[in-house]
Amino acid sequence: MERTPSTIKKLSEMTLEELWQLFPIFLVEHDPHWSEMYDEEVCALRKLLPNGLEFHHIGSTAIDGIMAKPIIDIIIAANSARQIDRISDILQEHGYILMSSGENRKSLNKGYTENGFDEKVFHLHVRLKNDVDEIYFRDYLNKHPDTAKEYETLKLSLWKKYEHDRDGYTNAKTEFVKKFTDIAKQESF
């Protein structure tokens, strides 16, 4: 069915299944511009947010040479739960969409529209500074290209099966991610 202005729902009115249809999982070749996109977004975020925050590029776009969803994942590491709430409020005032909220964690997105993905898409993970395990995983895969290629192979094997099921896709990768995150943490101590 063609999406006309009269048939387009607001994102907030869509079911999870409708969102997954509108925003399918797809992988593209590694793009060296992803790090530039990260830097540009962090520069803009620093102008909006309080001083003293840590920013980290995570996810597959931060891993050299592997295919990834063209979505830049950024951790914003805060000092307190209260600061997480304030950061979330500021980001929402500037057009980011709150996707989920849990204890000491908020997830916000930018680049999702009623017509699908925008040209640049960001996921912001607002967390406490001690809740950043994704950094270990990223660093490990960047130091171990063979393991990074294993991860890419896993993702490629899951892509079509879970194209319209983000939770399934994420859950199917969890064992691999946890295994190498744990190894990376052990090696860092």
Side-chain angles (χ1 to χ4, degrees):
M1 177 175 128
E2 186 177 333
R3 294 173 53 81
T4 63
S6 63
T7 62
I8 295 177
K9 287 183 178 180
K10 291 182 179 180
L11 296 178
S12 60
E13 298 170 347
M14 292 183 190
T15 65
L16 192 55
E17 290 73 22
E18 289 172 321
L19 290 168
W20 285 345
Q21 288 297 315
L22 185 58
F23 303 110
I25 290 170
F26 66 99
L27 303 175
V28 299
E29 293 294 328
H30 182 82
D31 184 340
H33 294 102
W34 287 334
S35 62
E36 293 170 20
M37 290 170 58
Y38 163 79
D39 290 340
E40 289 170 8
E41 192 68 12
V42 168
C43 184
L45 290 167
R46 286 189 191 282
K47 292 175 184 175
L48 299 175
L49 299 174
N51 293 328
L53 300 173
E54 294 176 12
F55 297 86
H56 303 279
H57 186 185
I58 60 164
S60 293
T61 61
I63 300 169
D64 294 330
I66 69 168
M67 293 181 74
K69 297 186 306 289
I71 297 169
I72 308 300
D73 285 282
I74 301 172
I75 285 181
I76 302 174
N79 297 307
S80 67
R82 184 175 176 188
Q83 191 176 46
I84 289 172
D85 291 338
R86 181 67 188 126
I87 291 166
S88 177
D89 291 344
I90 293 168
L91 292 171
Q92 289 176 75
E93 290 168 9
H94 287 87
Y96 291 83
I97 301 167
L98 180 65
M99 299 304 291
S100 67
S101 181
E103 186 175 343
N104 297 327
R105 284 183 165 210
K106 294 195 185 282
S107 176
L108 299 100
N109 295 344
K110 176 180 164 187
Y112 286 72
T113 75
E114 285 80 6
N115 293 308
F117 291 113
D118 206 345
E119 184 179 330
K120 294 181 181 179
V121 182
F122 299 92
H123 285 184
L124 304 182
H125 309 268
V126 186
R127 314 254 185 85
L128 294 175
K129 288 184 177 181
N130 64 352
D131 184 13
V132 292
D133 281 357
E134 293 88 345
I135 296 167
Y136 292 101
F137 183 71
R138 175 203 65 199
D139 290 351
Y140 187 88
L141 267 58
N142 278 324
K143 289 178 188 170
H144 299 88
D146 290 346
T147 306
K149 283 299 181 184
E150 282 181 54
Y151 185 53
E152 178 184 64
T153 300
L154 172 63
K155 290 166 29 126
L156 287 167
S157 75
L158 301 171
W159 172 7
K160 292 302 179 181
K161 179 178 181 180
Y162 295 106
E163 183 176 12
H164 298 286
D165 179 0
R166 285 184 180 269
D167 290 345
Y169 180 75
T170 299
N171 292 338
K173 298 183 304 176
T174 297
E175 185 178 329
F176 185 97
V177 172
K178 182 172 178 0
K179 174 183 175 181
F180 288 102
T181 299
D182 289 347
I183 290 170
K185 287 172 82 172
Q186 289 172 354
E187 287 183 0
S188 72
F189 295 113

